[in-house]
Amino acid sequence: MSTPVISSREADVLALLGEHLSNAEIAARLFISVRTVESHVSSLLRKLAVPDRRALSRRAAEFAPVQMAAPVLPAPLTAFVGRVRERGELAEALKKHRQVTAVGPGGVGKTRLALAVAGELAGEFADGVWFVDLAPVTDPGRVGDAVAAALGVGEQPGRGIDDSVFAVLADRQALLVWDNCEQIRDGVAPFLERLLAACPRVRVLVTSRARLMVPFERVFPVPPLSRDGGGESEAVELFLERAAAVGLSWDESVRDTVVALCERLDGMALAIELAAARCATLGLDGLVAGLSDQLRILAGGPRAADRHRSVRAVLDWSHDLLEPADRALLRRVSAFVVPFTAEAAAELAGFAPLDPGAVADGLAGLAEQSLLTVTPSASGTRYRALETIRQYGAERLDEAGETEAVRSRHVGWCLDRAAGLLDAGGADWRARFDAVAEDLRAALAWAAEQPRLRADAHRLALSLAESAFTRNLPGESQQRYEQAAALAGADADAGESLRLAAAVAGCRRLGDDMFRLHRAAAEAARRAGDLAGAGRDLAAAATVAYRFSSEFTRIPAVEEVMALLEEARKLSGASGPGSSVSDPSAAADPSAAVALAEAAVLADAFGAVQGATDNTVEETIALAERAVALAHRAGDPVAESAALDALSGARSWAGDSFAAAAAARRRIDLLTPLPPNPAPTHELLDALAMASGTALGAGGLAEARRWGRQLAGHPLLAEVGHHATSWLLVADAFAGRVGEVLTGSGRFLDAWERGGRQQSFSLGPAAASVAMVHGLRGDLAARAEWLGIVDRAGTAEEYRHGYGAILDAMVLLHEGDAAEALDRLAPEPEQVWKWVTWIWLHWYVALRAEASALAGHPDARARTAAARSLVAGNPVATAHVDRADALLDGDLPRLLATAKAFEAAGSRYQSARTLLLAGDEHAAAGAAALAEWGFGPGR
């Protein structure tokens, strides 16, 4: 027997049922509504085939809640020593306070203490402990990106990465450890405040050299290692343990010397470790003598200040003991912000006085002196300096007058790596990008401030933008394209970057940004003297305002958009839409972009929120066809796809569902061969959704499911399961695939709730389709829950007059209530044309005809005749009309023939229901099929 498939949220609910909590208590614990809990309980009772809550509680242990796959905390290469008191106190502080900042100077041991405590507390956080290394982050605006990367969270279209993080953590019980926050406190503080407000079960442990100054912060000062106890102190224990690691051991006679040494080092963990690493070459006496000279200058200073200076003094001493070539290597590799290979170090640091061939040996020597750490990776050995040592190296780099030379070489190295990433590809591309991304960002930040490197910074910004998009980081991709535009040396290049940024904003469902960026691109084109290009960009902005009106937070005023269109016409040399409708090759033709804008704005081909309703269908089709012809003639498949989208809309307004579906299919044929760049990707995502919807409208259930599956599997929608699965849910529901709908609805619901319970033209039909399936199964509680979701995910008028009427009627007919079903479909198609055109028209007239036949309506035959003419060619809708006629005529053979027609069209539910309507032995076969597929008995 197969294991039931339950969603992650159902697993959470089941676990709390195992704790014998009430629905209200579960809702409070998971921060969801009681109605949602009731829906999940109902679903669990069905899936697990148990009679009541008590039985569910007994099954709870079998199904662990789905957790985020928390990564392992960084594993230090050396044992953690001492800190018994601090570990206990810091753990208690974290249990009492939601945010604790471990504060102390560099080298005191904050990170090791935080990791030790996090490891001890891991079992108390159901959703794990997560480590976020902020040391490589140089931009305060990228704190959210770093946290998202550590959590494995991707950006959700329509919201920034910060909001995506908050959505994922909203109901999670987790501990986040943020390390090395001091250099970006301006970014950490506001992000932390928002996180704590949005995620009430999350706690954050921060390490920093200074407090964050945020509300609710609990500061935990990290002291130096204790020297209490003389030879048995924590400081001495650390020294002896690290000395033993390099093969040394002493008898008790040296303990007093070690005690004095640790005292002079103020118990600073890093200073002790660096000193111990030198014992193998200097011996204890040489170590004491050398450090005594270095530390003598500290006498008489305040002890708190001494602790800062003691680490610096030991670093100075360690540095002075190095050979000149090793000193150069240490300071030069400080330019790397993430672990680097020996080959990378040779490229960056291998110039006079350092021989590139000596770099590998030099790195090994620095690692032996604890100035670098060795980090194994899948791609080979990598090296890294602790943040304190890296900062020290950067100071030495500046003192040596090599900062510009080394950082310029670092920029060049990053440009090579970025180009290699884009050219190489491969299964390990993502890992290779992650291994160098922070270096690319740091190099870009530095180069952008150097006037002589402006061209390099521009190239690096473009490379990073393209790589970030491929890596499914659209927020950063848009940011980098905009940065590239600001760095461009030519206005034409700036305009191209802004267009790419607009396309990425489209993938993110940010209409306002698309509108802004197309207008900015127009200004860049105007400055470059490209007036025709400026016209195209203004036309694109006007089109966006109507084509993607539901993705705006503030829809541009109609007057504003009309002004843009008029300016676009002037710049393109067109006088108006009527000048070229009859002859697309006329010299006065506008660009394809202007023609599309006219179809969008003047004829409302896309059915915009702010669109007018008094344009003729003929005018809309003519304008859309002109845009298609112009785009095709220009050889621009992306522009042609957008124009075909307008034509698909125009054809649907004309009631021609087959032509609408054909236009949508042509879009996919055009876009599939194109590289996955921003503009083609944006078009393809829209095209897949439209192809799935219009195929459903024409009765192509298998095709609708195929396009829906492609959309659901697109990597850019991995974080937005509600948008990804919406059309697949609709197609599966109409095909009668109960199991697929129930499984997919879990992903849809979780993503919709985490995504802020958005509303869109596709989310309402998806939720209503799930509600329909629950109705056909006889689960009225679940149906009511999903109808509540419809209220928030869709719009009232669309549900009342459009898809809702169709889906409700299907449930009512299943229940044998033909009169009520007919009442839901009472308006003539012309009365609800606005809501039933596009994909719902055939379903509306076919079900209306069938309900009329079953309810004995006097116009039933006239309605079936009218419907037959309209739906001809739609196999499912035609089968509905044939079934209605067979019922009116009492023609059993013809009725049974429709069962085969439904089966052939992929509608197994309707096939089985036909057998029910046929009665006698056929009804028994139909009931058995419905039960096998998970439907209720029906009537």
Side-chain angles (χ1 to χ4, degrees):
M1 182 176 179
S2 62
T3 301
V5 177
I6 65 175
S7 70
S8 59
R9 181 50 59 85
E10 287 172 340
D12 291 334
V13 170
L14 184 57
L16 296 177
L17 286 170
E19 298 179 22
H20 306 288
L21 299 184
S22 67
N23 285 356
E25 291 170 327
I26 293 172
R29 183 80 67 87
L30 297 180
F31 299 93
I32 58 179
S33 70
V34 174
R35 290 179 63 190
T36 299
V37 175
E38 292 170 349
S39 175
H40 289 313
V41 170
S42 176
S43 176
L44 288 166
L45 289 170
R46 178 185 66 256
K47 289 183 179 182
L48 300 183
V50 295
D52 52 33
R53 292 172 65 94
R54 182 177 300 176
L56 278 178
S57 298
R58 289 194 294 268
R59 297 288 303 273
E62 301 175 25
F63 297 88
V66 176
Q67 308 292 350
M68 294 182 292
V72 177
L73 287 171
L77 299 178
T78 55
F80 185 78
V81 175
R83 299 285 195 188
V84 175
R85 178 180 60 81
E86 291 93 333
R87 288 160 73 175
E89 291 178 353
L90 182 54
E92 283 301 312
L94 277 168
K95 293 176 183 178
K96 294 178 181 178
H97 305 280
R98 292 189 55 213
Q99 193 273 309
V100 178
T101 303
V103 174
V108 77
K110 301 183 295 294
T111 299
R112 292 296 301 271
L113 176 61
L115 287 173
V117 171
E120 292 171 359
L121 295 179
E124 300 187 23
F125 292 89
D127 295 297
V129 177
W130 301 77
F131 182 80
V132 184
D133 183 7
L134 292 171
V137 181
T138 56
D139 181 356
R142 291 196 53 78
V143 173
D145 299 79
V147 177
L151 294 172
V153 172
E155 183 181 339
Q156 296 186 357
R159 57 170 55 197
I161 193 68
D162 292 6
D163 290 330
S164 296
V165 170
F166 302 151
V168 167
L169 292 174
D171 60 355
R172 299 286 184 174
Q173 183 187 19
L175 171 63
L176 307 184
V177 181
W178 295 358
D179 195 34
N180 291 302
C181 294
E182 57 272 354
Q183 82 282 4
I184 49 169
R185 282 194 302 160
D186 291 346
V188 169
F191 182 87
L192 180 59
E193 286 193 57
R194 294 175 62 202
L195 173 70
L196 294 176
C199 311
R201 302 173 71 204
V202 169
R203 294 176 185 263
V204 183
L205 172 57
V206 166
T207 75
S208 176
R209 297 186 184 188
R211 61 176 302 182
L212 301 179
M213 306 295 290
V214 294
F216 313 116
E217 178 183 30
R218 177 74 172 190
V219 176
F220 183 87
V222 179
L225 285 167
S226 171
R227 280 91 73 205
D228 295 341
E232 304 300 324
S233 69
E234 293 178 345
V236 170
E237 183 184 359
L238 177 64
F239 182 92
L240 295 177
E241 197 278 335
R242 298 299 187 259
V246 296
L248 299 177
S249 61
W250 294 287
D251 56 34
E252 289 298 315
S253 64
V254 303
R255 279 192 177 264
D256 290 343
T257 304
V258 176
V259 169
L261 182 63
C262 291
E263 185 64 40
R264 303 202 70 164
L265 295 175
D266 292 301
M268 297 295 284
L270 177 58
I272 291 171
E273 292 188 345
L274 290 172
R278 281 289 183 180
C279 282
T281 54
L282 296 177
L284 188 57
D285 292 342
L287 185 64
V288 171
L291 285 174
S292 294
D293 289 339
Q294 287 290 327
L295 296 174
R296 189 174 297 116
I297 61 171
L298 302 179
R303 296 304 293 172
D306 288 357
R307 290 167 185 163
H308 290 272
R309 287 183 283 175
S310 64
V311 173
R312 176 55 184 256
V314 173
L315 285 171
D316 285 339
W317 170 77
S318 297
H319 175 268
D320 292 343
L321 289 174
L322 297 173
E323 295 296 327
D326 290 336
R327 295 178 193 173
L329 181 58
L330 180 64
R331 65 178 178 260
R332 291 172 183 177
V333 298
S334 68
F336 290 113
V337 296
V338 293
F340 53 90
T341 64
E343 292 78 10
E347 288 187 49
L348 182 67
F351 63 94
L354 184 59
D355 187 320
V359 167
D361 287 340
L363 293 173
L366 293 175
E368 290 174 1
Q369 307 305 324
S370 293
L371 292 167
L372 294 178
T373 58
V374 180
T375 306
S377 73
S379 57
T381 300
R382 291 179 178 267
Y383 298 86
R384 184 178 190 178
L386 294 176
E387 183 62 16
T388 298
I389 295 175
R390 195 175 74 83
Q391 292 175 7
Y392 176 84
E395 292 177 11
R396 287 291 187 169
L397 191 68
D398 194 49
E399 291 171 6
E402 293 182 343
T403 296
E404 185 169 353
V406 171
R407 290 201 176 276
S408 295
R409 290 172 73 96
H410 184 239
V411 170
W413 180 84
C414 286
L415 283 169
D416 289 343
R417 298 291 84 72
L421 282 172
L422 297 173
D423 294 340
D428 64 340
W429 186 92
R430 175 172 179 162
R432 288 187 288 110
F433 172 82
D434 290 345
V436 299
E438 288 298 348
D439 270 305
L440 302 184
R441 292 163 183 146
L444 174 56
W446 184 81
E449 300 299 322
Q450 312 302 313
R452 69 178 185 84
L453 294 179
R454 188 180 183 91
D456 286 342
H458 175 250
R459 288 171 53 209
L460 191 53
L462 282 176
S463 294
L464 191 51
E466 187 173 347
S467 293
F469 186 79
T470 303
R471 179 61 176 79
N472 286 341
L473 300 173
E476 181 175 9
S477 179
Q478 180 183 331
Q479 174 196 355
R480 299 306 178 189
Y481 277 126
E482 293 193 50
Q483 186 177 16
L487 292 167
D491 287 320
D493 292 336
E496 180 58 26
S497 294
L498 290 166
R499 292 179 199 103
L500 288 165
V504 179
C507 295
R508 302 176 67 202
R509 297 177 177 268
L510 300 178
D512 306 78
D513 277 4
M514 290 182 71
F515 187 69
R516 169 181 62 83
L517 289 164
H518 279 302
R519 296 187 70 174
E523 290 305 309
R526 201 190 297 262
R527 291 194 303 269
D530 181 8
L531 298 184
R536 288 192 297 271
D537 290 321
L538 290 176
T543 299
V544 163
Y546 275 67
R547 185 183 180 194
F548 301 108
S549 59
S550 64
E551 297 175 7
F552 278 74
T553 56
R554 185 196 69 83
I555 298 176
V558 173
E559 296 78 14
E560 180 183 7
V561 178
M562 288 296 296
L564 291 180
L565 176 56
E566 185 59 33
E567 182 67 14
R569 284 171 168 171
K570 291 177 182 177
L571 292 172
S572 69
S575 59
S579 63
S580 56
V581 170
S582 61
D583 182 10
S585 64
D589 268 348
S591 69
V594 173
L596 179 59
E598 291 174 344
V601 178
L602 302 181
D604 191 27
F606 299 107
V609 173
Q610 72 274 36
T613 58
D614 56 353
N615 295 295
T616 64
V617 169
E618 292 77 11
E619 178 188 12
T620 307
I621 293 174
L623 290 172
E625 287 180 333
R626 179 180 59 160
V628 172
L630 289 170
H632 182 74
R633 190 172 70 188
D636 186 341
V638 173
E640 189 173 352
S641 169
L644 283 168
D645 191 27
L647 181 59
S648 181
R651 291 295 185 187
S652 73
W653 283 115
D656 191 344
S657 299
F658 302 107
R665 287 195 303 272
R666 284 174 58 192
R667 295 179 66 193
I668 295 178
D669 292 339
L670 283 169
L671 298 167
T672 300
L674 300 182
N677 297 329
T681 298
H682 180 216
E683 277 296 318
L684 182 60
L685 291 174
D686 184 75
L688 287 171
M690 296 304 101
S692 181
T694 54
L696 179 72
L701 296 181
E703 194 175 32
R705 295 183 67 245
R706 181 168 73 252
W707 302 133
R709 281 197 302 270
Q710 287 191 30
L711 183 67
H714 196 285
L716 205 61
L717 300 182
E719 302 295 328
V720 281
H722 48 319
H723 289 294
T725 62
S726 57
W727 287 113
L728 183 57
L729 281 172
V730 177
D732 278 339
F734 275 84
R737 295 180 173 271
V738 174
E740 286 89 336
V741 171
L742 296 181
T743 300
S745 66
R747 179 185 176 192
F748 177 96
L749 182 58
D750 282 350
W752 180 71
E753 289 180 337
R754 294 183 189 282
R757 301 185 177 185
Q758 297 168 319
Q759 182 182 78
S760 88
F761 76 94
S762 63
L763 299 181
S769 295
V770 177
M772 178 194 74
V773 168
H774 283 300
L776 297 181
R777 295 181 67 255
D779 190 341
L780 299 184
R783 172 170 167 77
E785 178 67 27
W786 277 92
L787 288 177
I789 295 169
V790 173
D791 289 342
R792 290 166 287 177
T795 63
E797 286 187 320
E798 285 179 309
Y799 177 76
R800 175 60 191 162
H801 301 298
Y803 62 83
I806 296 162
L807 297 168
D808 287 351
M810 290 179 70
V811 174
L812 291 166
L813 289 172
H814 178 82
E815 294 171 345
D817 195 343
E820 187 67 22
L822 185 58
D823 185 62
R824 262 317 256 121
L825 301 166
E828 295 291 335
E830 294 77 11
Q831 294 177 277
V832 290
W833 194 260
K834 178 178 179 180
W835 295 281
V836 299
T837 52
W838 187 42
I839 68 173
W840 307 115
L841 180 60
H842 287 188
W843 296 98
Y844 187 88
V845 298
L847 283 168
R848 187 169 184 265
E850 183 174 328
S852 298
L854 288 168
H857 193 279
D859 295 332
R861 291 192 181 277
R863 290 179 176 181
T864 57
R868 182 175 303 284
S869 174
L870 184 62
V871 305
N874 181 324
V876 184
T878 297
H880 274 287
V881 177
D882 286 345
R883 187 165 68 186
D885 272 340
L887 289 169
L888 287 171
D889 295 337
D891 188 339
L892 181 60
R894 187 179 179 189
L895 183 62
L896 294 176
T898 65
K900 295 181 179 179
F902 278 122
E903 185 69 32
S907 182
R908 63 185 185 184
Y909 162 74
Q910 293 295 349
S911 177
R913 183 169 178 272
T914 302
L915 297 179
L916 278 182
L917 293 171
D920 298 330
E921 70 275 11
H922 304 295
L930 289 175
E932 179 185 353
W933 295 329
F935 294 105
R939 287 184 287 172

